[in-house]
């Protein structure tokens, strides 16, 4: 524990671009490691890209590599060896359920014992936290995440996001956007307090920068209203007024707002547009329909009303934008009619954070590999419920 505390202190004091150097020095000193390499997942979640001022190593695939195995399973993976010698182990770098990447180390076999792996995993957790803090001051880690250049609209959208996944004892949540490097109007946002999870899924009208600017306005208006203590209908109303004041009805945004009570599973919902939700309960998939209300910004001073439902432990919720469920096959059938439910059911054993990518892969196959003609956003939430031991007493 003292060794871990020393590394943690060194990471906190280090310059933002030197975090990998600090970890490398610590692992060489404490575990005799010969080499250390950090890779971060790209925006498309298809490759793991090396973090370096001058990248020399090629990216590796998330779904077909030793590093990807550790990333997907979220546990250390020791590469098999056919002869005595140094061992190579890949350790996931994850922060509160948000999968960032993988740290790969090579060194003496003795250092890869169960105790050694547990200690090095702790260092990875500390490294992950410091990466998120360091991104305020350096582009190094953001640059490592891109396999190609982002459009300006996509840059704005990714900077808005709270992360790509989050985990708490009561729930696990994962989300993904496509096309990852050219997204423009779709977005998701969440906030977790001691008692509530607030989740919003937004689909901004228009294309390119117009849609990105509109979604930025909506997301920040909703955050402002939430942080001011407004209830869910009040948050929708304030954002509605902000959009109308800016665009006078010429542009609007569709939003689905949900507020989960972590103790009871009671959910408040405001459906202000096109994002839709499906529920997997046991082996049964069903569409969860709400009373459709006006999108934000369509008319002046629209009033919104919250509906209620209840989630049960074991429920899986999937939310998709119209670019997902309205996408058509060559035969003209919409993905949301039957295929989306089949996809959700087929991937019921996957961890929550892997479901959005799996559903979007199925969507591409459904379209016979035809390129998407709209943003496609999928959010997946697994509800576990609160056990007495995880209860919190203060907001």
């Amino acid at each position: 524990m003292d060794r871990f505390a020393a590394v943690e202190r060194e990471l906190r004091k280090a310059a933002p671009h030197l975090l990998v150097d600090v970890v490398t020095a610590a692992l060489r000193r404490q575990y005799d490691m010969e080499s250390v390499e950090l890779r971060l997942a790209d925006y498309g979640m298809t490759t793991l890209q090396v973090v370096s001022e001058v990248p020399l190593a090629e990216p590796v695939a998330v779904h077909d590599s030793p590093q990807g195995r550790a990333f997907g399973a979220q546990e250390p993976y020791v590469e098999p060896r056919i002869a005595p010698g140094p061992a190579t182990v890949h350790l996931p770098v994850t922060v509160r359920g948000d999968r960032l990447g993988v740290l790969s180390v090579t060194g003496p076999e003795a250092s890869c014992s169960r105790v050694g792996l547990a200690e090095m995993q702790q260092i990875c957790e500390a490294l992950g936290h410091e990466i998120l803090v360091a991104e305020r001051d350096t582009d190094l880690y953001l640059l490592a995440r891109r396999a190609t250049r982002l459009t300006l609209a996509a840059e704005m959208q990714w900077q808005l996001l709270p992360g790509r996944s989050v985990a708490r004892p009561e729930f696990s949540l994962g989300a993904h956007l496509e096309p990852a490097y050219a997204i423009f109007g779709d977005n998701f946002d969440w906030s977790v307090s001691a008692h509530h999870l607030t989740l919003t899924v937004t689909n901004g009208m228009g294309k390119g920068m117009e849609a990105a600017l509109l979604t930025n306005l909506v997301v920040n208006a909703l955050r402002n209203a939430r942080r001011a203590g407004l209830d869910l209908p009040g948050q929708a109303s304030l954002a509605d007024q902000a959009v109308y004041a800016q665009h006078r009805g010429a542009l609007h945004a569709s939003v689905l707002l949900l507020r989960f009570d972590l103790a009871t599973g009671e959910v408040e919902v405001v459906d202000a547009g096109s994002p839709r939700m499906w529920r997997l309960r046991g082996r049964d998939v069903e569409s969860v329909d709400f009373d459709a209300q006006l999108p934000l910004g369509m008319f002046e001073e629209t009033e919104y009303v919250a509906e209620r439902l209840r989630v049960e432990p074991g429920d899986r919720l999937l939310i998709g934008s119209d670019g997902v469920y309205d996408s058509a096959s060559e035969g003209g059938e919409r993905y949301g009619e039957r295929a989306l439910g089949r996809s959700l059911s087929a991937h019921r054993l996957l961890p929550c954070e892997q479901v959005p990518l799996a559903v979007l892969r199925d969507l591409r196959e459904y379209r016979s590999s035809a390129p998407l003609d709209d943003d496609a956003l999928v959010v997946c939430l697994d509800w576990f419920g609160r056990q007495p031991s995880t209860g919190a007493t203060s907001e």
Side-chain angles (χ1 to χ4, degrees):
M1 183 59 68
D2 290 340
R3 294 196 298 181
F4 167 70
V7 177
E8 194 173 34
R9 286 194 298 270
E10 291 173 15
L11 282 169
R12 289 177 179 174
K13 293 188 297 183
H17 64 285
L18 295 178
L19 299 181
V20 179
D21 292 348
V22 169
V23 169
T24 298
L27 292 176
R28 285 176 175 167
R29 181 173 64 250
Q30 297 181 11
Y31 302 95
D32 295 324
M33 288 298 166
E34 299 172 8
S35 66
V36 178
E37 180 182 74
L38 174 65
R39 290 178 180 268
L40 297 180
D42 86 307
Y43 287 105
M45 295 289 278
T46 59
T47 61
L48 291 162
Q49 315 252 129
V50 69
V51 176
S52 174
E53 293 283 359
V54 184
L56 299 176
E58 291 293 322
V60 298
V62 165
H63 299 290
D64 188 25
S65 67
Q67 295 92 334
R69 182 164 176 170
F71 183 77
Q74 285 296 286
E75 59 184 29
Y77 174 66
V78 181
E79 288 193 24
R81 292 176 301 148
I82 59 175
T88 297
V89 59
H90 308 285
L91 303 121
V93 178
T94 302
V95 180
R96 294 192 175 96
D98 193 8
R99 301 179 302 160
L100 303 183
V102 173
L103 188 74
S104 300
V105 298
T106 299
E109 182 179 6
S111 297
C112 298
S113 64
R114 179 176 298 180
V115 173
L117 291 178
E119 292 176 349
M120 287 189 285
Q121 190 61 65
Q122 279 189 304
I123 292 174
C124 287
E125 292 173 7
L127 174 61
H129 280 277
E130 292 305 316
I131 286 172
L132 295 184
V133 174
E135 285 180 349
R136 299 179 308 176
D137 303 313
T138 179
D139 287 338
L140 177 65
Y141 308 102
L142 294 171
L143 288 171
R145 291 177 180 170
R146 55 195 70 195
T148 187
R149 183 176 178 177
L150 291 170
T151 65
L152 178 55
E155 185 89 45
M156 294 170 62
Q157 294 297 66
W158 282 107
Q159 288 300 305
L160 267 184
L161 298 179
R164 284 187 287 204
S165 53
V166 63
R168 282 272 298 260
E170 301 88 352
F171 68 89
S172 180
L173 190 158
H176 192 64
L177 297 162
E178 290 287 353
Y181 289 86
I183 197 80
F184 35 84
D186 285 5
N187 197 275
F188 56 87
D189 193 29
W190 64 69
S191 176
V192 188
S193 71
H195 301 296
H196 295 99
L197 162 68
T198 302
L199 171 64
T200 62
V201 178
T202 304
N203 182 0
M205 177 183 175
K207 300 288 185 180
M209 281 298 298
E210 181 180 66
L213 288 168
L214 174 60
T215 301
N216 267 258
L217 174 60
V218 171
V219 171
N220 281 291
L222 289 169
R223 288 174 176 172
N224 178 257
R226 184 184 71 232
R227 293 163 184 169
L230 275 65
D231 60 12
L232 212 61
Q235 294 172 31
S237 294
L238 187 145
D240 170 71
Q241 293 167 22
V243 175
Y244 187 83
Q246 185 69 27
H247 298 289
R248 313 305 294 181
L251 294 177
H252 53 80
S254 298
V255 182
L256 183 64
L257 301 93
L258 304 104
R259 188 170 188 259
F260 296 78
D261 188 308
L262 298 178
T264 67
E266 296 290 336
V267 189
E268 281 187 288
V269 183
V270 173
D271 183 353
S274 63
R276 291 177 51 191
M277 186 165 80
W278 286 258
R279 177 175 59 209
L280 173 65
R281 179 171 287 172
R283 290 181 174 270
D284 298 325
V285 177
E286 61 178 333
S287 175
V288 182
D289 299 320
F290 305 106
D291 293 332
Q293 302 178 68
L294 292 172
L296 306 184
M298 185 170 283
F299 299 104
E300 190 172 11
E301 297 184 356
T302 303
E303 293 187 5
Y304 294 91
V305 178
E307 300 176 66
R308 284 173 171 77
L309 74 150
R310 184 184 181 91
V311 288
E312 299 178 359
D315 281 355
R316 170 168 284 180
L317 304 179
L318 185 137
I319 301 169
S321 66
D322 58 358
V324 176
Y325 64 78
D326 264 348
S327 194
S329 68
E330 289 183 339
E333 182 177 339
R334 302 295 177 183
Y335 188 63
E337 292 178 24
R338 291 182 297 178
L340 190 150
R342 290 196 299 266
S343 178
L344 180 56
S345 181
H347 299 305
R348 64 183 180 276
L349 299 181
L350 280 181
C352 172
E353 63 272 10
Q354 296 184 30
V355 171
L357 274 169
V359 171
L360 290 170
R361 284 197 300 269
D362 290 348
L363 173 60
R364 286 194 292 271
E365 293 178 5
Y366 185 77
R367 292 174 55 85
S368 300
S369 300
L372 293 169
D373 49 14
D374 192 6
D375 288 1
L377 179 156
V378 175
V379 178
C380 183
L381 183 143
D382 281 354
W383 186 259
F384 311 127
R386 173 171 286 176
Q387 302 300 318
S389 60
T390 67
T393 58
S394 61
E395 185 75 47

